[in-house]
Amino acid sequence: MAKPRASLPDADALRALIDGEGLLFLRATPNAKGDALAIEDGKLRVRVTAVPEDGKANKAVIRLVAKGLGIAPARIELVRGATAREKVLRITG
């Protein structure tokens, strides 16, 4: 069975959440039923189906955020929150 497509908000709405230093603050939920990005109360919520082991969920979060922004995943770096739900990503270039 094919994976359902990820639910993504408008790329401009996502870009508006990036601060002047290129940092994006978010809350991640691993092991979800489906992949989704949502802006709730002015904050980014990321849900991924990947399990939180061996960095799989972090990689999935980066891939999904990159897809939502329309950029390459290589332009995103995990700055803080490798083992936490609250994460900070740096968007470069």
Side-chain angles (χ1 to χ4, degrees):
M1 177 159 58
K3 265 174 108 173
R5 291 182 49 151
S7 171
L8 304 173
D10 182 59
D12 290 332
L14 288 176
R15 285 187 196 98
L17 298 175
I18 300 171
D19 72 8
E21 297 177 8
L23 299 178
L24 177 62
F25 297 82
L26 61 93
R27 179 165 179 88
T29 302
N31 211 19
K33 289 185 179 183
D35 292 344
L37 292 178
I39 299 172
E40 299 172 359
D41 298 325
K43 296 184 180 182
L44 182 61
R45 299 273 315 211
V46 182
R47 292 173 180 85
V48 294
T49 56
V51 293
E53 58 186 36
D54 301 325
K56 291 177 187 174
N58 289 331
K59 289 176 187 173
V61 165
I62 289 171
R63 277 194 310 271
L64 189 58
V65 170
K67 184 176 182 179
L69 290 170
I71 62 173
R75 292 182 49 196
I76 300 177
E77 170 191 6
L78 179 64
V79 176
R80 189 169 51 236
T83 60
R85 288 180 183 256
E86 301 290 331
K87 299 185 183 301
V88 180
L89 303 178
R90 176 172 285 119
I91 315 300
T92 59

